[in-house]
Amino acid sequence: MITEFIWDFDGMLFDTYPHTTAALCEYFRRHGKIIDPEEAFGKLKISIREAFRYFSLPEDGEKEFYEIEDDLDFLPRGVPYEGIPEILRFITENGGRNYLYTHRDKVAVQYLDLYGLAPLFTDFVTREMDFSFKPAPDAVNYLIEKHSLNKDRCLMLGDRTIDCGSGLNAGIKALLFDEFGTLKESEYTYYTASIKEVAETIKSIIR
């Protein structure tokens, strides 16, 4: 049924929210403002743009924030969710293909490289490509057109409503990874609450 798997990065492949939350707090600390890490985490789970808006991060401060966030030595570092490397390998070993679609810049690919996962991906869409933000379907459509993909065989995977929205708006299926059980009322094709359930779902729909 599904052969093409388009993955979000933050909160889906890698547990990077502690890292990004720390980077956002660090940015404001450097500018004399203390923000609540739990509140920052909650806004980041909606989207990074929502976090910027909520905490009034100035447009000319985004470059500095991303420099902090993209520092691979800045702790806590993002790590792949336990079980994700095995899922990616299972897909490729069974004739499927993995793609990355993230709002993060090319540092996401560096993270994949760091853990030996980049060779498991056919293509990468990162922030430098300047597509409209999710849930716009532009980047998904780009991958579909570039690789001549059959939409019926494509799946977008992510942990936010905007991830699923980008897939659904492109006319493909979407899998939601709802680690904290807060998004059950949103739109998706497949619902999962753990990486184990992600793996089980993929095994049931591939080929």
Side-chain angles (χ1 to χ4, degrees), residues 76-129:
R77 177 185 289 179
V79 296
Y81 281 101
E82 185 175 353
I84 282 293
E86 291 78 10
I87 295 172
L88 296 172
R89 293 189 184 99
F90 174 83
I91 288 171
T92 59
E93 289 167 1
N94 285 272
R97 295 188 289 182
N98 297 300
Y99 308 84
L100 181 71
Y101 170 27
T102 177
H103 287 166
R104 185 184 285 270
D105 66 6
K106 62 185 178 181
V107 78
V109 182
Q110 292 177 308
Y111 266 116
L112 291 171
D113 252 337
L114 191 65
Y115 290 91
L117 302 177
L120 299 173
F121 285 79
T122 297
D123 204 351
F124 310 91
V125 173
T126 58
R127 189 171 73 239
E128 290 87 352
M129 299 179 76

Short mmCIF file of all heavy atoms in Angstrom, two decimals, residues 76-129:
data_model
loop_
_atom_site.label_atom_id
_atom_site.label_comp_id
_atom_site.label_asym_id
_atom_site.label_seq_id
_atom_site.Cartn_x
_atom_site.Cartn_y
_atom_site.Cartn_z
N PRO A 76 20.90 20.14 25.89
CA PRO A 76 20.89 18.73 25.51
C PRO A 76 20.77 18.55 24.00
O PRO A 76 19.97 19.22 23.36
CB PRO A 76 19.63 18.19 26.20
CG PRO A 76 18.73 19.37 26.27
CD PRO A 76 19.62 20.57 26.46
N ARG A 77 21.57 17.67 23.44
CA ARG A 77 21.55 17.42 22.00
C ARG A 77 20.37 16.52 21.64
O ARG A 77 19.99 15.64 22.40
CB ARG A 77 22.86 16.76 21.59
CG ARG A 77 22.92 16.39 20.11
CD ARG A 77 24.19 15.63 19.81
NE ARG A 77 25.36 16.49 19.87
CZ ARG A 77 26.60 16.07 19.66
NH1 ARG A 77 26.81 14.79 19.42
NH2 ARG A 77 27.62 16.90 19.74
N GLY A 78 19.80 16.73 20.46
CA GLY A 78 18.73 15.86 19.99
C GLY A 78 19.27 14.48 19.65
O GLY A 78 20.39 14.33 19.17
N VAL A 79 18.48 13.47 19.92
CA VAL A 79 18.86 12.09 19.62
C VAL A 79 17.69 11.40 18.91
O VAL A 79 16.54 11.79 19.09
CB VAL A 79 19.22 11.30 20.90
CG1 VAL A 79 20.45 11.89 21.57
CG2 VAL A 79 18.04 11.29 21.88
N PRO A 80 17.96 10.36 18.10
CA PRO A 80 16.86 9.65 17.47
C PRO A 80 16.02 8.94 18.53
O PRO A 80 16.56 8.42 19.51
CB PRO A 80 17.55 8.63 16.55
CG PRO A 80 19.01 8.81 16.70
CD PRO A 80 19.26 9.83 17.78
N TYR A 81 14.72 8.94 18.32
CA TYR A 81 13.87 8.15 19.21
C TYR A 81 14.29 6.68 19.13
O TYR A 81 14.63 6.18 18.05
CB TYR A 81 12.40 8.27 18.82
CG TYR A 81 11.74 9.54 19.29
CD1 TYR A 81 11.53 10.60 18.42
CD2 TYR A 81 11.30 9.67 20.61
CE1 TYR A 81 10.91 11.77 18.85
CE2 TYR A 81 10.69 10.84 21.04
CZ TYR A 81 10.51 11.87 20.15
OH TYR A 81 9.89 13.03 20.58
N GLU A 82 14.23 6.01 20.26
CA GLU A 82 14.56 4.59 20.29
C GLU A 82 13.62 3.84 19.35
O GLU A 82 12.41 3.97 19.45
CB GLU A 82 14.43 4.04 21.71
CG GLU A 82 14.88 2.61 21.85
CD GLU A 82 14.85 2.11 23.29
OE1 GLU A 82 14.61 2.94 24.19
OE2 GLU A 82 15.06 0.91 23.50
N GLY A 83 14.19 3.08 18.44
CA GLY A 83 13.41 2.31 17.47
C GLY A 83 13.35 2.94 16.10
O GLY A 83 13.04 2.25 15.12
N ILE A 84 13.64 4.23 15.98
CA ILE A 84 13.57 4.91 14.68
C ILE A 84 14.60 4.36 13.69
O ILE A 84 14.25 4.10 12.52
CB ILE A 84 13.71 6.43 14.85
CG1 ILE A 84 12.39 7.03 15.34
CG2 ILE A 84 14.15 7.10 13.54
CD1 ILE A 84 11.25 6.96 14.34
N PRO A 85 15.87 4.17 14.07
CA PRO A 85 16.81 3.61 13.08
C PRO A 85 16.34 2.26 12.52
O PRO A 85 16.48 2.02 11.31
CB PRO A 85 18.11 3.45 13.90
CG PRO A 85 18.01 4.51 14.95
CD PRO A 85 16.55 4.53 15.33
N GLU A 86 15.77 1.44 13.38
CA GLU A 86 15.29 0.12 12.92
C GLU A 86 14.11 0.28 11.95
O GLU A 86 14.01 -0.47 10.97
CB GLU A 86 14.87 -0.72 14.13
CG GLU A 86 16.02 -1.18 15.02
CD GLU A 86 16.56 -0.10 15.94
OE1 GLU A 86 15.92 0.98 16.06
OE2 GLU A 86 17.63 -0.32 16.55
N ILE A 87 13.23 1.25 12.21
CA ILE A 87 12.10 1.48 11.31
C ILE A 87 12.60 1.94 9.94
O ILE A 87 12.13 1.46 8.89
CB ILE A 87 11.14 2.52 11.90
CG1 ILE A 87 10.49 2.00 13.18
CG2 ILE A 87 10.06 2.90 10.88
CD1 ILE A 87 9.66 3.04 13.92
N LEU A 88 13.53 2.88 9.93
CA LEU A 88 14.06 3.38 8.66
C LEU A 88 14.71 2.26 7.86
O LEU A 88 14.53 2.16 6.63
CB LEU A 88 15.06 4.50 8.92
CG LEU A 88 14.51 5.77 9.57
CD1 LEU A 88 15.65 6.72 9.95
CD2 LEU A 88 13.52 6.47 8.66
N ARG A 89 15.45 1.40 8.53
CA ARG A 89 16.10 0.28 7.84
C ARG A 89 15.06 -0.72 7.34
O ARG A 89 15.20 -1.27 6.24
CB ARG A 89 17.11 -0.40 8.76
CG ARG A 89 18.31 0.49 9.10
CD ARG A 89 19.39 -0.26 9.84
NE ARG A 89 20.48 0.64 10.23
CZ ARG A 89 20.61 1.17 11.43
NH1 ARG A 89 19.75 0.88 12.38
NH2 ARG A 89 21.61 1.99 11.69
N PHE A 90 14.04 -0.97 8.14
CA PHE A 90 12.98 -1.90 7.73
C PHE A 90 12.33 -1.41 6.43
O PHE A 90 12.07 -2.21 5.52
CB PHE A 90 11.91 -2.00 8.82
CG PHE A 90 10.71 -2.82 8.44
CD1 PHE A 90 10.73 -4.20 8.55
CD2 PHE A 90 9.57 -2.19 7.93
CE1 PHE A 90 9.62 -4.96 8.16
CE2 PHE A 90 8.47 -2.94 7.55
CZ PHE A 90 8.49 -4.32 7.67
N ILE A 91 12.10 -0.12 6.33
CA ILE A 91 11.46 0.44 5.13
C ILE A 91 12.35 0.20 3.91
O ILE A 91 11.87 -0.28 2.87
CB ILE A 91 11.19 1.95 5.33
CG1 ILE A 91 10.02 2.13 6.31
CG2 ILE A 91 10.87 2.63 3.99
CD1 ILE A 91 9.80 3.57 6.74
N THR A 92 13.62 0.55 4.01
CA THR A 92 14.50 0.39 2.84
C THR A 92 14.72 -1.08 2.50
O THR A 92 14.80 -1.44 1.33
CB THR A 92 15.86 1.08 3.08
OG1 THR A 92 16.49 0.52 4.24
CG2 THR A 92 15.67 2.58 3.30
N GLU A 93 14.78 -1.93 3.51
CA GLU A 93 14.99 -3.37 3.26
C GLU A 93 13.77 -4.02 2.62
O GLU A 93 13.87 -5.09 2.03
CB GLU A 93 15.33 -4.07 4.57
CG GLU A 93 16.73 -3.73 5.08
CD GLU A 93 16.96 -4.18 6.52
OE1 GLU A 93 16.01 -4.76 7.12
OE2 GLU A 93 18.05 -3.93 7.05
N ASN A 94 12.62 -3.36 2.72
CA ASN A 94 11.39 -3.89 2.15
C ASN A 94 10.93 -3.11 0.92
O ASN A 94 9.75 -3.13 0.56
CB ASN A 94 10.29 -3.92 3.22
CG ASN A 94 10.48 -5.06 4.21
OD1 ASN A 94 10.01 -6.17 3.99
ND2 ASN A 94 11.19 -4.78 5.29
N GLY A 95 11.88 -2.43 0.29
CA GLY A 95 11.60 -1.78 -0.98
C GLY A 95 11.01 -0.39 -0.89
O GLY A 95 10.66 0.20 -1.91
N GLY A 96 10.90 0.16 0.33
CA GLY A 96 10.36 1.50 0.48
C GLY A 96 11.46 2.54 0.42
O GLY A 96 12.65 2.22 0.37
N ARG A 97 11.05 3.81 0.43
CA ARG A 97 12.01 4.92 0.41
C ARG A 97 11.62 5.96 1.46
O ARG A 97 10.44 6.21 1.69
CB ARG A 97 12.04 5.57 -0.97
CG ARG A 97 12.57 4.64 -2.06
CD ARG A 97 12.80 5.37 -3.38
NE ARG A 97 11.55 5.74 -4.03
CZ ARG A 97 11.47 6.34 -5.21
NH1 ARG A 97 12.58 6.65 -5.86
NH2 ARG A 97 10.29 6.63 -5.75
N ASN A 98 12.64 6.54 2.08
CA ASN A 98 12.45 7.57 3.09
C ASN A 98 12.86 8.93 2.54
O ASN A 98 13.84 9.05 1.79
CB ASN A 98 13.32 7.28 4.33
CG ASN A 98 12.93 5.98 5.01
OD1 ASN A 98 11.80 5.82 5.45
ND2 ASN A 98 13.87 5.05 5.10
N TYR A 99 12.10 9.96 2.92
CA TYR A 99 12.40 11.35 2.55
C TYR A 99 12.29 12.19 3.81
O TYR A 99 11.52 11.89 4.72
CB TYR A 99 11.39 11.87 1.52
CG TYR A 99 11.22 11.00 0.31
CD1 TYR A 99 10.35 9.90 0.35
CD2 TYR A 99 11.93 11.25 -0.86
CE1 TYR A 99 10.19 9.08 -0.76
CE2 TYR A 99 11.78 10.43 -1.98
CZ TYR A 99 10.91 9.34 -1.92
OH TYR A 99 10.76 8.53 -3.02
N LEU A 100 13.05 13.28 3.86
CA LEU A 100 12.98 14.20 4.99
C LEU A 100 12.33 15.50 4.54
O LEU A 100 12.70 16.07 3.51
CB LEU A 100 14.38 14.50 5.52
CG LEU A 100 14.44 15.46 6.72
CD1 LEU A 100 13.90 14.76 7.97
CD2 LEU A 100 15.86 15.96 6.95
N TYR A 101 11.35 15.97 5.32
CA TYR A 101 10.76 17.29 5.09
C TYR A 101 10.68 18.00 6.44
O TYR A 101 9.86 17.66 7.29
CB TYR A 101 9.38 17.17 4.46
CG TYR A 101 8.61 18.48 4.41
CD1 TYR A 101 9.26 19.71 4.37
CD2 TYR A 101 7.22 18.48 4.41
CE1 TYR A 101 8.57 20.89 4.34
CE2 TYR A 101 6.50 19.68 4.37
CZ TYR A 101 7.18 20.88 4.34
OH TYR A 101 6.49 22.07 4.31
N THR A 102 11.55 18.98 6.63
CA THR A 102 11.65 19.67 7.91
C THR A 102 11.75 21.17 7.73
O THR A 102 12.25 21.65 6.70
CB THR A 102 12.88 19.17 8.70
OG1 THR A 102 13.00 19.89 9.92
CG2 THR A 102 14.17 19.35 7.89
N HIS A 103 11.26 21.92 8.72
CA HIS A 103 11.45 23.36 8.75
C HIS A 103 12.84 23.70 9.27
O HIS A 103 13.27 24.86 9.18
CB HIS A 103 10.42 24.03 9.65
CG HIS A 103 9.05 24.06 9.05
ND1 HIS A 103 7.93 24.36 9.80
CD2 HIS A 103 8.60 23.83 7.79
CE1 HIS A 103 6.86 24.32 9.02
NE2 HIS A 103 7.24 24.00 7.80
N ARG A 104 13.53 22.73 9.83
CA ARG A 104 14.90 22.94 10.30
C ARG A 104 15.83 23.06 9.08
O ARG A 104 15.53 22.56 8.00
CB ARG A 104 15.33 21.76 11.19
CG ARG A 104 16.70 21.92 11.83
CD ARG A 104 17.06 20.67 12.60
NE ARG A 104 16.32 20.59 13.85
CZ ARG A 104 16.77 21.09 15.01
NH1 ARG A 104 17.93 21.72 15.05
NH2 ARG A 104 16.06 20.96 16.11
N ASP A 105 16.98 23.70 9.26
CA ASP A 105 17.90 23.83 8.13
C ASP A 105 18.73 22.56 7.97
O ASP A 105 18.42 21.52 8.55
CB ASP A 105 18.78 25.08 8.29
CG ASP A 105 19.73 25.01 9.49
OD1 ASP A 105 19.80 23.94 10.13
OD2 ASP A 105 20.39 26.02 9.78
N LYS A 106 19.79 22.64 7.19
CA LYS A 106 20.56 21.44 6.83
C LYS A 106 21.22 20.78 8.03
O LYS A 106 21.77 19.68 7.89
CB LYS A 106 21.62 21.79 5.78
CG LYS A 106 22.64 22.81 6.26
CD LYS A 106 23.58 23.20 5.13
CE LYS A 106 24.59 24.25 5.59
NZ LYS A 106 25.50 24.66 4.49
N VAL A 107 21.18 21.41 9.20
CA VAL A 107 21.72 20.74 10.38
C VAL A 107 20.96 19.44 10.66
O VAL A 107 21.51 18.51 11.27
CB VAL A 107 21.70 21.67 11.62
CG1 VAL A 107 20.30 21.76 12.22
CG2 VAL A 107 22.69 21.19 12.68
N ALA A 108 19.69 19.35 10.20
CA ALA A 108 18.94 18.10 10.36
C ALA A 108 19.64 16.96 9.64
O ALA A 108 19.70 15.83 10.14
CB ALA A 108 17.52 18.27 9.82
N VAL A 109 20.18 17.24 8.47
CA VAL A 109 20.91 16.22 7.72
C VAL A 109 22.21 15.87 8.44
O VAL A 109 22.65 14.72 8.46
CB VAL A 109 21.18 16.68 6.28
CG1 VAL A 109 21.91 15.60 5.48
CG2 VAL A 109 19.87 17.06 5.58
N GLN A 110 22.82 16.87 9.07
CA GLN A 110 24.04 16.61 9.86
C GLN A 110 23.73 15.69 11.03
O GLN A 110 24.53 14.81 11.37
CB GLN A 110 24.63 17.93 10.36
CG GLN A 110 25.18 18.82 9.26
CD GLN A 110 25.70 20.15 9.79
OE1 GLN A 110 25.00 20.87 10.51
NE2 GLN A 110 26.92 20.49 9.45
N TYR A 111 22.58 15.91 11.65
CA TYR A 111 22.16 15.02 12.73
C TYR A 111 22.00 13.60 12.21
O TYR A 111 22.45 12.62 12.83
CB TYR A 111 20.82 15.48 13.32
CG TYR A 111 20.92 16.38 14.52
CD1 TYR A 111 20.45 17.69 14.47
CD2 TYR A 111 21.45 15.92 15.72
CE1 TYR A 111 20.51 18.52 15.58
CE2 TYR A 111 21.51 16.74 16.83
CZ TYR A 111 21.05 18.04 16.75
OH TYR A 111 21.11 18.87 17.85
N LEU A 112 21.34 13.44 11.07
CA LEU A 112 21.16 12.11 10.48
C LEU A 112 22.51 11.48 10.18
O LEU A 112 22.73 10.28 10.44
CB LEU A 112 20.32 12.20 9.21
CG LEU A 112 18.85 12.58 9.38
CD1 LEU A 112 18.20 12.84 8.04
CD2 LEU A 112 18.08 11.48 10.12
N ASP A 113 23.43 12.29 9.65
CA ASP A 113 24.79 11.80 9.37
C ASP A 113 25.48 11.35 10.64
O ASP A 113 26.18 10.33 10.68
CB ASP A 113 25.60 12.92 8.73
CG ASP A 113 25.86 12.66 7.25
OD1 ASP A 113 25.81 11.50 6.82
OD2 ASP A 113 26.10 13.64 6.53
N LEU A 114 25.31 12.14 11.69
CA LEU A 114 25.96 11.87 12.96
C LEU A 114 25.62 10.48 13.48
O LEU A 114 26.46 9.80 14.10
CB LEU A 114 25.54 12.94 13.98
CG LEU A 114 26.29 13.02 15.30
CD1 LEU A 114 27.74 13.42 15.08
CD2 LEU A 114 25.60 14.02 16.22
N TYR A 115 24.40 10.04 13.21
CA TYR A 115 23.94 8.73 13.69
C TYR A 115 23.88 7.69 12.58
O TYR A 115 23.27 6.63 12.74
CB TYR A 115 22.57 8.88 14.36
CG TYR A 115 22.66 9.63 15.69
CD1 TYR A 115 22.51 11.01 15.74
CD2 TYR A 115 22.95 8.95 16.87
CE1 TYR A 115 22.61 11.70 16.94
CE2 TYR A 115 23.06 9.63 18.08
CZ TYR A 115 22.89 11.01 18.10
OH TYR A 115 23.00 11.68 19.30
N GLY A 116 24.51 7.98 11.44
CA GLY A 116 24.60 7.01 10.36
C GLY A 116 23.29 6.74 9.65
O GLY A 116 23.13 5.69 9.02
N LEU A 117 22.35 7.70 9.69
CA LEU A 117 21.02 7.47 9.13
C LEU A 117 20.80 8.14 7.77
O LEU A 117 19.86 7.80 7.06
CB LEU A 117 19.94 7.96 10.11
CG LEU A 117 19.97 7.31 11.50
CD1 LEU A 117 18.91 7.94 12.39
CD2 LEU A 117 19.77 5.81 11.39
N ALA A 118 21.66 9.09 7.40
CA ALA A 118 21.47 9.83 6.15
C ALA A 118 21.39 8.92 4.93
O ALA A 118 20.57 9.17 4.03
CB ALA A 118 22.56 10.88 5.98
N PRO A 119 22.20 7.84 4.84
CA PRO A 119 22.12 6.97 3.65
C PRO A 119 20.77 6.26 3.50
O PRO A 119 20.50 5.70 2.43
CB PRO A 119 23.25 5.96 3.89
CG PRO A 119 24.21 6.66 4.79
CD PRO A 119 23.34 7.47 5.70
N LEU A 120 19.94 6.27 4.54
CA LEU A 120 18.64 5.62 4.47
C LEU A 120 17.59 6.53 3.83
O LEU A 120 16.43 6.12 3.69
CB LEU A 120 18.19 5.19 5.87
CG LEU A 120 19.10 4.19 6.58
CD1 LEU A 120 18.63 3.97 8.01
CD2 LEU A 120 19.14 2.87 5.83
N PHE A 121 17.98 7.75 3.44
CA PHE A 121 17.05 8.72 2.85
C PHE A 121 17.36 8.95 1.38
O PHE A 121 18.51 9.05 0.98
CB PHE A 121 17.12 10.04 3.62
CG PHE A 121 16.42 9.98 4.95
CD1 PHE A 121 17.04 9.39 6.05
CD2 PHE A 121 15.14 10.49 5.11
CE1 PHE A 121 16.40 9.31 7.27
CE2 PHE A 121 14.49 10.42 6.33
CZ PHE A 121 15.12 9.82 7.42
N THR A 122 16.29 9.06 0.61
CA THR A 122 16.41 9.32 -0.82
C THR A 122 16.58 10.80 -1.12
O THR A 122 17.29 11.18 -2.05
CB THR A 122 15.15 8.80 -1.55
OG1 THR A 122 15.10 7.38 -1.38
CG2 THR A 122 15.18 9.13 -3.05
N ASP A 123 15.96 11.67 -0.31
CA ASP A 123 16.02 13.10 -0.58
C ASP A 123 15.70 13.86 0.71
O ASP A 123 15.12 13.30 1.65
CB ASP A 123 15.03 13.48 -1.68
CG ASP A 123 15.42 14.76 -2.41
OD1 ASP A 123 16.36 15.45 -1.96
OD2 ASP A 123 14.77 15.07 -3.43
N PHE A 124 16.08 15.15 0.72
CA PHE A 124 15.91 15.99 1.89
C PHE A 124 15.32 17.35 1.49
O PHE A 124 15.80 17.97 0.54
CB PHE A 124 17.25 16.25 2.57
CG PHE A 124 18.06 15.01 2.83
CD1 PHE A 124 18.99 14.56 1.89
CD2 PHE A 124 17.90 14.28 4.01
CE1 PHE A 124 19.74 13.42 2.13
CE2 PHE A 124 18.65 13.14 4.24
CZ PHE A 124 19.57 12.71 3.31
N VAL A 125 14.31 17.80 2.21
CA VAL A 125 13.81 19.16 2.06
C VAL A 125 14.04 19.86 3.39
O VAL A 125 13.50 19.46 4.43
CB VAL A 125 12.30 19.18 1.72
CG1 VAL A 125 11.78 20.62 1.74
CG2 VAL A 125 12.06 18.56 0.34
N THR A 126 14.86 20.92 3.37
CA THR A 126 15.18 21.67 4.58
C THR A 126 14.84 23.15 4.40
O THR A 126 14.39 23.57 3.32
CB THR A 126 16.68 21.52 4.92
OG1 THR A 126 17.46 21.99 3.81
CG2 THR A 126 17.04 20.07 5.20
N ARG A 127 15.05 23.93 5.44
CA ARG A 127 14.61 25.32 5.45
C ARG A 127 15.23 26.14 4.32
O ARG A 127 14.60 27.07 3.79
CB ARG A 127 14.93 25.95 6.80
CG ARG A 127 14.31 27.32 6.99
CD ARG A 127 14.47 27.83 8.41
NE ARG A 127 15.83 28.25 8.70
CZ ARG A 127 16.59 27.74 9.67
NH1 ARG A 127 16.12 26.77 10.44
NH2 ARG A 127 17.80 28.18 9.89
N GLU A 128 16.46 25.78 3.91
CA GLU A 128 17.14 26.56 2.87
C GLU A 128 16.38 26.58 1.55
O GLU A 128 16.58 27.47 0.72
CB GLU A 128 18.55 26.00 2.63
CG GLU A 128 19.52 26.22 3.74
CD GLU A 128 19.47 25.13 4.80
OE1 GLU A 128 18.57 24.27 4.73
OE2 GLU A 128 20.33 25.13 5.69
N MET A 129 15.50 25.61 1.35
CA MET A 129 14.78 25.52 0.07
C MET A 129 13.62 26.51 0.01
O MET A 129 13.00 26.69 -1.04
CB MET A 129 14.32 24.09 -0.16
CG MET A 129 15.49 23.11 -0.23
SD MET A 129 15.00 21.39 -0.46
CE MET A 129 14.58 21.40 -2.21
#
